[in-house]
Amino acid sequence: CNSSRDHSVTFDRIGVLFVSVATLMFGVLALGDSMVRTYYEYTDPVERDAVVSTAIAGMAIASMCLAIAGSLFAPFLSQSVFHSVHYVGVIRAAFLATLFGNVTELLLVYQRLRQRAVVFVSISIAQLALTCALNVYLIAVLRWGVWGFVTSKLICTGITSAILLTAVLREVNCRIQWEKARRMIKFGGWLVPTSISFFIMHFADRFFLSSYVSLSAVGLYALSYKFGFLVTYLVGEPFGNRSEEHTSELQSRQYLVC
């Protein structure tokens, strides 16, 4: 009998996943950077906790709205980008996974702010191990194909965000303040064009390629492109994040002294 699932894993499906997830992956950058900047503008722990809880609420609301919009427009996006409605479910699942992923990334930024390198690394390794284990089981054993990638991403980000959110909210409580939100919007708003430009520079070519070559070629190109980012991920990003946080701390100290 015919199964309702497509069990094959090919580069065209990898291309679909990449384009869907990459659309929102940079949304966390502006808010994460603005939370770091605003966090160091205060010395009172209570005020800093308010910054963190306000940022979490803002990220959750923004990501939820984007996930809902992505779900509603999934048929249109699938037809416009991939010239088929076959990928509607994948796009919706990718938007939902990105919702959890954005919240998780922001909560990990908070762990960096608190100088908890061991916690940050432990969670990152646990995420990697869980994702790999689920991918092997769902794809190699159950033969779910592309849905194995999506399901493992949903499970991993969902569990991680739930655990981190519970722990962080117990620590900072829920102190949502409009003044803190205004400060983060004021600083982060100028970072949005930068994030958009970065996205266009590195990922817009996938959309153009999908109009001229097969999705299999786009998937192969996207996978190959990721190898070029290994140096950034393994070397540049860790030191860059720490340098950015240290710079924000020094600038805020100078601001407070003045």
Side-chain angles (χ1 to χ4, degrees):
C1 63
N2 292 331
S3 174
S4 60
R5 295 184 185 274
D6 186 351
H7 300 308
S8 60
V9 181
T10 56
F11 282 114
D12 65 317
R13 283 156 175 75
I14 296 175
V16 172
L17 286 174
F18 186 87
V19 174
S20 300
V21 175
T23 304
L24 289 177
M25 66 181 297
F26 290 102
V28 70
L29 292 179
L31 185 54
D33 291 342
S34 58
M35 184 183 77
V36 171
R37 171 63 173 161
T38 309
Y39 180 88
Y40 283 117
E41 289 181 357
Y42 300 92
T43 56
D44 185 1
V46 176
E47 296 295 330
R48 287 185 167 184
D49 290 347
V51 172
V52 175
S53 58
T54 302
I56 293 173
M59 176 61 75
I61 293 173
S63 298
M64 190 177 300
C65 291
L66 287 172
I68 293 174
S71 179
L72 293 176
F73 288 97
F76 172 77
L77 292 174
S78 181
Q79 185 64 46
S80 299
V81 178
F82 307 114
H83 314 294
S84 172
V85 295
H86 180 70
Y87 304 106
V88 171
V90 175
I91 292 176
R92 286 173 174 167
F95 272 94
L96 182 59
T98 305
L99 162 63
F100 296 130
N102 283 350
V103 175
T104 299
E105 288 299 322
L106 191 68
L107 295 171
L108 288 175
V109 170
Y110 172 71
Q111 301 303 321
R112 295 206 314 264
L113 287 175
R114 297 301 303 270
Q115 309 285 328
R116 296 169 180 167
V118 175
V119 175
F120 181 87
V121 173
S122 299
I123 293 173
S124 300
I125 294 176
Q127 277 188 300
L128 176 62
L130 179 59
T131 300
C132 291
L134 287 172
N135 282 339
V136 170
Y137 178 71
L138 296 176
I139 298 172
V141 178
L142 298 184
R143 316 289 292 183
W144 280 17
V146 66
W147 280 103
F149 286 108
V150 176
T151 305
S152 64
K153 182 70 174 179
L154 283 172
I155 293 175
C156 184
T157 55
I159 292 176
T160 306
S161 62
I163 294 174
L164 283 175
L165 187 61
T166 301
V168 172
L169 288 181
R170 284 180 179 178
E171 185 175 349
V172 304
N173 297 317
C174 187
R175 300 187 180 95
I176 301 175
Q177 298 179 4
W178 169 248
E179 174 60 23
K180 306 298 187 298
R182 186 188 66 80
R183 285 177 174 267
M184 284 186 280
I185 292 173
K186 182 179 179 181
F187 179 79
W190 294 102
L191 300 178
V192 173
T194 303
S195 298
I196 294 175
S197 299
F198 190 87
F199 173 79
I200 293 174
M201 182 172 61
H202 289 285
F203 300 104
D205 51 0
R206 276 69 164 178
F207 296 97
F208 291 105
L209 287 174
S210 65
S211 299
Y212 296 98
V213 299
S214 66
L215 289 176
S216 179
V218 176
L220 180 60
Y221 171 77
L223 183 63
S224 303
Y225 197 90
K226 284 183 115 17
F227 285 102
F229 270 101
L230 285 178
V231 176
T232 300
Y233 290 145
L234 298 178
V235 180
E237 187 171 338
F239 291 100
N241 288 336
R242 182 57 194 141
S243 175
E244 179 183 355
E245 292 163 9
H246 186 60
T247 301
S248 297
E249 183 178 7
L250 293 177
Q251 289 176 342
S252 298
R253 286 178 181 175
Q254 182 180 4
Y255 172 77
L256 291 173
V257 170
C258 295

